[in-house]
Amino acid sequence: GAADRVALDVVAPGHDLLPLKELGRITASVVRNEPGRAMGYAPIPGDPQLIRQIAFRSMEHGLPVAPDDPLITAGCMEALYLSLRSVCRSGDTVLIQSPTYYCFLQLLETLGLRAIEVPSDPKLGVSPKDLFHALRTFDVSACVLAPNFNNPDSSLTPDEAKREIVSMLAERSIPLVEDDVSSDLHFGPRRPGTYKQFDQKGLVLLCSSFSKTIAPGYRVGWILPGRFRQKALEIKATTNVSTSAPAQMAIAEYLRQGHMERHLKKLRAALERQMDTMQLHLGRHFPEGTKVTHPVGGGVLWLELPKAVDSVELFFQARAERIGIAPGAIFSTQDKFTNYIRISCGFPWTRDVEQGVTILGELAGRMCRS
C-alpha cells in the first residue's frame, strides 16, 4: 500500500506534527453543541467567528485589514483561483516567479492566462530590478508572487524589496496576488513581512490557508481581497456557494482557545530539525557537485543536480523504487530546471526515509556515470 512509499514529494507536515487530538476533540464538540449551524450552509463570505479570528491574527502581523475583510475559501488554491478570476480575463498576461508551484501554472492554463516568468533567486526571491524590466517589456494584468518560502525554491524576498515591488505595481495600478501559505513556517525569531503590509491602494490580494500548519484535509483558506472583495464574493457564490461549515467552526474555536502559537512553535522546531537532518544525508549520499538550498523556513529543499541528471527520468526510476520526488521541469512553463528536484521535509526522519534518500542518491550517481 501507500504506507511503504517514501513520500518526499508531499508538501505537508507529517501526521504526528499536526494537532490531531486537539482539533478532533474541538470538531466533535462544535458539531455536537451547534448541529444546526454545522449542518447548514455557512455564510458565503465565511463563518463570522473564523473571519474575526483571521482578521485579529492579520492585524497582529501588521496587515491593513478590517475585522470583516477576510473571505474564507476552500484552501489556498481556491483563494488563488478567486483572486485571479477577480483581477484577470482570459487572454491576459500574468507575471509569476520562476520556479513556481506547478499548481499555479495549471491554474493559469485553466483560466486561459499567459504566464511571464521572472527569475526567483533561491535566497532572495524576485528582485525589483527584474520585475521592473518585465513590466516595461510586457503588458501585465496581474502578478502572482510567493515572497516567503516560495515553493519549490523556499526563497525569501527581503522586506525592503517587497516594499519596492508593491509601490512599483501600485504606480501602474497592477494587482498583486500574494501566496502567503508558508509565512508561519519561519525558523528565525520573527515572521517575515508580506507584500500586503505595504499595500496602501488595496491592490494586494493576500491568499493563505491552514493546510501547511494545522489541517490539510479541512481545506480552509482565506483571502484578504483589498478592493476586490465584492468581485471575489460574487465569484465565490457561483463557484461553491460556501466553504465547509464544521471545518470553519472547528478552526475558529481552535484559534479562539489560543492553541495556534504554541503549536506553530513546535511545528517550526520540528521542520527545522527534519530539514537539517535531510541536508546532512543529501550531502552524504548525493553525487559530487549537487547543490542544496539552505532555507530559513518552509518545508522543502530545492536541489540542483549535476547536468547529466535528467530529473524526469530520475522521477520515474525513483517511482519504481516507491520513492516520490517532484522533478524540476514541472515548476516552469519553459524548458528549465531539468536537472533540479524538490524534496519535502515535512515527515519525521525514519529508517525508511533514510533508505529512500540513499537509493535516490545512488540513482542520481548512476546517471552521472553513464
Side-chain angles (χ1 to χ4, degrees), residues 8-11 101-102 151-153 300-303 324-328 331 340-344:
L8 303 177
D9 51 346
V10 176
V11 183
Y101 183 38
Y102 56 87
N151 178 0
D153 65 4
V300 297
L301 296 173
W302 185 233
L303 278 64
I325 57 168
F331 297 98
Y340 286 72
I341 62 172
R342 186 197 70 191
I343 283 185
S344 165

Side-chain angles (χ1 to χ4, degrees), residues 48-116:
Q49 273 130 335
L50 181 58
I51 290 173
R52 222 174 26 246
Q53 289 298 332
I54 288 171
F56 289 152
R57 284 199 78 220
S58 304
M59 288 171 198
E60 276 168 20
H61 300 145
L63 302 183
V65 53
D68 57 355
D69 265 356
L71 204 59
I72 310 299
T73 61
C76 193
M77 276 310 288
E78 195 202 8
L80 290 157
Y81 167 82
L82 295 175
S83 299
L84 280 167
R85 288 249 347 244
S86 299
V87 300
C88 296
R89 272 203 296 261
S90 184
D92 282 352
T93 297
V94 177
L95 277 191
I96 55 171
Q97 67 201 85
S98 176
T100 191
Y101 183 38
Y102 56 87
C103 288
F104 295 173
L105 300 175
Q106 290 168 322
L107 180 58
L108 294 176
E109 204 177 317
T110 305
L111 294 174
L113 301 170
R114 288 182 50 218
I116 300 293

Side-chain angles (χ1 to χ4, degrees), residues 305-321:
L305 301 166
K307 282 271 184 267
V309 177
D310 171 354
S311 65
V312 172
E313 179 54 32
L314 182 61
F315 163 81
F316 284 115
Q317 290 187 15
R319 197 168 73 172
E321 302 280 353

Side-chain angles (χ1 to χ4, degrees), residues 118-166:
V118 177
S120 173
D121 175 274
K123 277 205 175 69
L124 301 170
V126 171
S127 94
K129 208 163 78 236
D130 288 340
L131 194 79
F132 180 70
H133 177 70
L135 292 174
R136 279 211 340 231
T137 316
F138 302 99
D139 178 20
V140 174
S141 298
C143 296
V144 182
L145 299 172
N148 301 335
F149 318 125
N150 172 46
N151 178 0
D153 65 4
S154 291
S155 58
L156 176 63
T157 305
D159 285 2
E160 225 5 85
K162 289 178 185 132
R163 184 199 303 272
E164 211 178 316
I165 285 170
V166 169

Side-chain angles (χ1 to χ4, degrees), residues 41-52 54 68-74 78 82 220-223 225 229-230 232-234 236-237 240-243 248:
Y41 285 116
I44 296 169
D47 180 86
Q49 273 130 335
L50 181 58
I51 290 173
R52 222 174 26 246
I54 288 171
D68 57 355
D69 265 356
L71 204 59
I72 310 299
T73 61
E78 195 202 8
L82 295 175
V220 174
W222 69 92
I223 315 176
R229 192 168 189 281
Q230 199 41 49
L233 207 52
E234 286 163 23
K236 168 79 182 171
N240 60 8
V241 187
S242 62
T243 306
Q248 292 188 70

